[in-house]
Amino acid sequence: MPGLEEVMQTVDKSDTACLLEWAGSWLKEEKGHYIDGAWLHETDGDCGSGSLASTDPSTGRELCKIKQAGSRQIDAAVAAARKAFADRRWRSMPRRERSRLLMSIADLIREHSAELAALEALDNGKLYKEAINDDLPEAADVFDYYAGWTDKHYSECSPQDEGFINYTVHEPLGVCALIVPWNFPLLLAMWKIAPALAMGNTVVIKPSPFTSLSILRFFELLHEKIDIPDGVINLVTGGAETGRLLCEHMGVDKVSFTGSTATGKAVVASSASSNLKQVSLELGGKSPNIVFDDVPDLDFAIERSYAAMFSHKGEKCSEPTRLFVHKKIHDQFVGRLVDIAAGVKCGAQFDESADQGSQCNQEQFDKIMRYIEIGKSEGGRIVAGGERDTRGDNARGLFVRPTIFTDVDNRMTVSRDEIFGPVLVVIPFASDDEVIEMANDSIYGLAAGLWTRDVSRAHSVAGRLDAGMVFINRFGCYDFASPFGGFKQSGWGKEMAVHSLAAYTRLKSVWLKL
Ligand code: NAD
């Protein structure tokens, strides 16, 4: 099928009518798995009842059917990746050639960003403007970033006595299974694919069954436009059973997983019960955001605390869901957040005037509404939202008003469990020690924020917070050059920067007696 850029040669990328027309015909085509350089449509051996429905959560409309790979398809995908790893065409490709190829993938994503963003918005429910402005540019840039590493991942030569040389080599791991969730489907997949390929691995990727569309289209584009050896990059679609089969497969050397903490534990169990494949995990969070009474810029702190929490409809792992505000400024801070929340317009993906999209799926929507009830029953006071948004056409979709709880403490269920939706709890505090203790009292340790003009306090509190990422005076700063990932039950290892290279390589020590 022609790409969108051919269809809308003279049309602006924000022409949603054209985008939707293109998407409508694309969705009618049968979707398959991409294995060994070709599309596989067979369903023989598929998991469960065969295909799953992909749905637009803003309307409840079925978009298309997605296949669920079973052991037959997983075996084929892993065998293709094994063969491509063993024949060394990819890992032995001259480094600059591999680098250029990765950069051409970055360009491909940029050229096709409108159609990829449109598909991503359609099955996730996020606003098209968020997908095109936030997710797609980063999904492309990450390939440029790791393309630059193919000739910069140096080894060491250790100091030895005369007559010996000892050096290390970073070798690719082999076949990497990459499993991603539904909140940033394409972006999180690219965070894994780019470093895995840059280091010479071959991959099998499995997206979430709720949000497979943008990745399916990405693979079509790769197939049509990028000359990558067959079997180097494979795609299987499906749900939990497909993921489990992949994690238990004896032909997989590494699983890089992003998703919930509960599933992360199942991934570790699958690895332990099969071939002890390496596992890296990016899991859930319940991140604290601490506002001291000497916050340097109150207006910015309020605006940013709101955006970090509620953008992408609160479906972000590192969002600051526990807000601790010093009691001197608590009421003022909360009052201003409530004003912002009250003015928010929930709306469907292509509504330019909307501020917040639909939650991604029914299961997640029900979970959020359940937690709102739990919060109320435990004595929390709702000062904003707390209900479904049913204005106009929103009644057909899964819209939740931005919700703020006060009168909660850090022991309540809504302060402890990851809700993964637009639900914020606000807790007042009086002293540094008290707030640090509450902030660290969580099974999670993904991110934390603090706001103060006192550099000594900032430095000391950052050092005492049990979180993999600490943001001072701006919650949420991300860059490829900086490690991403959490402590405790928020994960194992880091993504991004040089740390992703370690996640996709093994270190060999070589001795030579002269
Ligand atoms: P999930 O754990 O339900 O599913 C994630 C992926 O795992 C999906 O592709 C799913 O099909 C697959 N899966 C399910 N069961 C499996 C099994 N037994 N073995 C292997 N794969 C299996 O998570 P979700 O609901 O899709 O996503 C939301 C979660 O992801 C939240 O907890 C969020 O915090 C987390 N998340 C973390 C990060 C991070 O970088 N730390 C980023 C985004 C999302």
Side-chain angles (χ1 to χ4, degrees):
M1 168 165 189
L4 185 69
E5 88 282 17
E6 283 112 7
V7 178
M8 46 189 289
Q9 300 221 334
T10 55
V11 185
D12 191 83
K13 277 191 174 184
S14 60
D15 184 334
T16 52
C18 184
L19 272 170
L20 287 171
E21 194 184 325
W22 172 83
S25 33
W26 183 83
L27 288 166
K28 290 196 186 102
E29 294 174 6
E30 190 186 359
K31 311 289 174 260
H33 311 291
Y34 187 74
I35 297 173
D36 208 10
W39 286 97
L40 181 78
H41 291 286
E42 66 154 44
T43 48
D44 193 15
D46 259 13
C47 284
S49 55
S51 54
L52 289 164
S54 168
T55 307
D56 172 353
S58 73
T59 60
R61 178 176 66 104
E62 180 174 314
L63 295 165
C64 65
K65 296 271 195 243
I66 300 291
K67 293 196 168 49
Q68 289 194 77
S71 41
R72 198 177 148 106
Q73 290 84 3
I74 301 276
D75 283 349
V78 174
R82 277 244 78 82
K83 181 164 67 78
F85 187 68
D87 71 21
R88 302 181 83 91
R89 268 176 304 153
W90 180 246
R91 62 185 292 194
S92 300
M93 181 183 278
R95 293 155 302 147
R96 304 241 164 80
E97 205 178 307
R98 195 159 74 222
S99 173
R100 273 194 296 276
L101 206 139
L102 293 178
M103 285 192 261
S104 66
I105 299 180
D107 290 339
L108 182 79
I109 295 173
R110 283 184 198 109
E111 279 161 30
H112 294 266
S113 60
E115 63 193 85
L116 292 166
L119 295 176
E120 181 114 336
L122 273 176
D123 63 5
N124 173 279
K126 68 173 68 187
L127 300 176
Y128 173 72
K129 62 186 175 191
E130 286 182 320
I132 191 92
N133 295 328
D134 301 348
D135 306 3
L136 266 297
E138 208 186 304
D141 291 351
V142 73
F143 278 94
D144 280 340
Y145 179 79
Y146 283 107
W149 273 108
T150 57
D151 59 0
K152 296 179 192 66
H153 196 24
Y154 289 92
S155 296
E156 304 154 8
C157 192
S158 70
Q160 295 301 332
D161 293 339
E162 204 168 314
F164 288 94
I165 293 178
N166 171 245
Y167 60 92
T168 60
V169 187
H170 300 282
E171 294 183 343
L173 276 168
V175 175
C176 300
L178 314 177
I179 301 182
V180 289
W182 45 257
N183 59 334
F184 292 93
L186 195 71
L187 178 60
L188 295 180
M190 301 306 138
W191 277 22
K192 297 183 189 302
I193 294 173
L197 293 186
M199 293 298 102
N201 299 282
T202 59
V203 305
V204 179
I205 180 136
K206 192 205 83 64
S208 164
F210 296 113
T211 53
S212 301
L213 300 185
S214 53
I215 296 176
L216 279 161
R217 179 63 186 146
F218 168 73
F219 269 79
E220 281 182 3
L221 294 167
L222 268 189
H223 180 65
E224 287 164 20
K225 307 203 172 195
I226 306 282
D227 193 16
I228 193 162
D230 292 348
V232 168
I233 173 161
N234 306 276
L235 164 73
V236 289
T237 56
E241 181 60 6
T242 303
R244 187 184 62 76
L245 289 168
L246 203 47
C247 293
E248 287 178 355
H249 204 289
M250 297 296 284
V252 171
D253 300 297
K254 155 96 194 193
V255 177
S256 175
F257 173 82
T258 300
S260 64
T261 295
T263 310
K265 290 179 183 179
V267 169
V268 173
S270 294
S271 160
S273 67
S274 54
N275 58 347
L276 269 187
K277 52 182 70 68
Q278 285 195 23
V279 175
S280 46
L281 303 170
E282 293 288 347
L283 307 176
K286 192 78 186 175
S287 299
N289 182 21
I290 304 169
V291 188
F292 291 100
D293 56 349
D294 64 346
V295 48
D297 179 344
L298 187 66
D299 291 343
F300 178 65
I302 291 168
E303 191 189 299
R304 183 65 208 163
S305 294
Y306 186 92
M309 169 61 222
F310 290 103
S311 66
H312 293 267
K313 26 153 177 148
E315 291 172 348
K316 298 188 303 291
C317 53
S318 57
E319 68 198 355
T321 44
R322 289 183 297 149
L323 174 62
F324 295 98
V325 189
H326 193 277
K327 62 182 187 181
K328 276 194 204 151
I329 54 169
H330 174 271
D331 292 354
Q332 183 188 7
F333 206 96
V334 173
R336 300 266 300 276
L337 288 179
V338 169
D339 289 345
I340 302 176
V344 161
K345 181 185 173 197
C346 293
Q349 297 91 331
F350 298 92
D351 178 350
E352 265 295 313
S353 65
D355 305 300
Q356 188 182 303
S358 159
Q359 304 309 138
C360 175
N361 56 70
Q362 188 71 48
E363 205 179 295
Q364 186 58 27
F365 173 84
D366 293 344
K367 179 178 164 189
I368 297 166
M369 298 311 286
R370 203 165 54 243
Y371 271 108
I372 290 174
E373 289 312 310
I374 292 173
K376 287 198 276 191
S377 71
E378 289 185 340
R381 185 159 68 96
I382 289 185
V383 290
E387 64 203 356
R388 183 175 198 157
D389 187 302
T390 53
R391 290 177 218 179
D393 284 347
N394 289 354
R396 296 181 299 164
L398 304 173
F399 295 91
V400 179
R401 296 290 311 156
T403 297
I404 303 176
F405 272 105
T406 58
D407 292 356
V408 288
D409 66 43
N410 198 47
R411 305 299 306 174
M412 288 182 183
T413 312
V414 278
S415 308
R416 307 199 73 72
D417 291 5
E418 182 187 50
I419 302 173
F420 215 55
V423 182
L424 172 70
V425 299
V426 193
I427 301 172
F429 70 91
S431 75
D432 292 21
D433 285 346
E434 177 198 13
V435 77
I436 291 166
E437 193 181 327
M438 285 193 287
N440 287 340
D441 182 15
S442 168
I443 63 163
Y444 299 108
L446 188 51
L450 65 109
W451 302 77
T452 177
R453 63 173 74 238
D454 179 339
V455 175
S456 301
R457 172 191 259 167
H459 192 63
S460 143
V461 175
R464 293 172 65 192
L465 287 170
D466 249 347
M469 296 173 283
V470 177
F471 306 115
I472 302 169
N473 293 337
R474 188 199 192 274
F475 199 104
C477 309
Y478 306 103
D479 189 83
F480 304 131
S482 171
F484 185 100
F487 295 161
K488 300 196 280 188
Q489 294 190 38
S490 288
W492 284 354
K494 298 282 179 191
E495 289 198 304
M496 297 293 109
V498 68
H499 309 281
S500 268
L501 307 183
Y504 294 105
T505 49
R506 58 186 192 181
L507 193 64
K508 181 177 276 177
S509 173
V510 180
W511 286 90
L512 170 64
K513 182 176 181 317
L514 296 171

